[in-house]
Amino acid sequence: MFISTGEERWARTFAEDRGITGPVLIDTERAAYRAVSLKRTPGATFSMQAMKAGRRALKAGFRQGRTQGDPWQQGGVFVVMPDGRVPFAYTSAFAGDHPDEQAVVRAVRDAVGGALEETPQGTLRR
């Protein structure tokens, strides 16, 4: 399950692009965002670190598309278990600051006892 802020169409596109077949919840009030104290500042969007991350992305062939949602909002990745445990938490400090994907995959596998396989889209399934 994923929680997304913003509009349903953005969450749908996110899920389709990543091959997510499970539920994607939409938090239009940003309650989950505030609960984990994620950042929302123009400074994090336009910091020197964000500019460096943007240059790295350009060199790797990524291009910025149309901005969707709140441009000042920074993200994060949290693995939350049904009992409330959080075996993995990552709060982005600036635009383009992402956790190591393999660390997230390891955290999910460890949390569910390793009974997952990776799909061609890079998502996990039982």
Side-chain angles (χ1 to χ4, degrees):
M1 174 186 320
F2 288 81
I3 299 175
S4 174
T5 59
E7 297 181 20
E8 181 180 346
R9 62 190 166 120
W10 300 332
R12 187 179 314 113
T13 300
F14 175 85
E16 289 170 358
D17 288 350
R18 288 158 183 83
I20 297 167
T21 57
V24 177
L25 305 178
I26 302 165
D27 179 13
T28 58
E29 301 299 319
R30 290 188 174 92
Y33 189 86
R34 287 189 305 278
V36 293
S37 302
L38 293 174
K39 294 183 178 188
R40 184 187 177 280
T41 67
T45 300
F46 294 115
S47 71
M48 188 57 74
Q49 292 168 306
M51 298 303 152
K52 288 178 183 177
R55 276 197 303 276
R56 277 193 307 274
L58 280 171
K59 285 182 181 180
F62 295 99
R63 298 294 177 262
Q64 172 69 41
R66 185 170 161 249
T67 300
Q68 297 181 348
D70 185 343
W72 315 134
Q73 178 176 298
Q74 305 309 309
V77 176
F78 300 84
V79 176
V80 182
M81 302 304 294
D83 65 4
R85 285 182 301 117
V86 181
F88 184 88
Y90 189 91
T91 301
S92 298
F94 54 88
D97 179 23
H98 306 293
D100 175 68
E101 291 177 12
Q102 291 306 311
V104 178
V105 169
R106 278 192 306 277
V108 172
R109 280 197 176 119
D110 291 349
V112 299
L116 297 175
E117 64 179 281
E118 199 162 344
T119 68
Q121 296 90 355
T123 58
L124 299 173
R125 68 177 175 214
R126 281 198 183 272

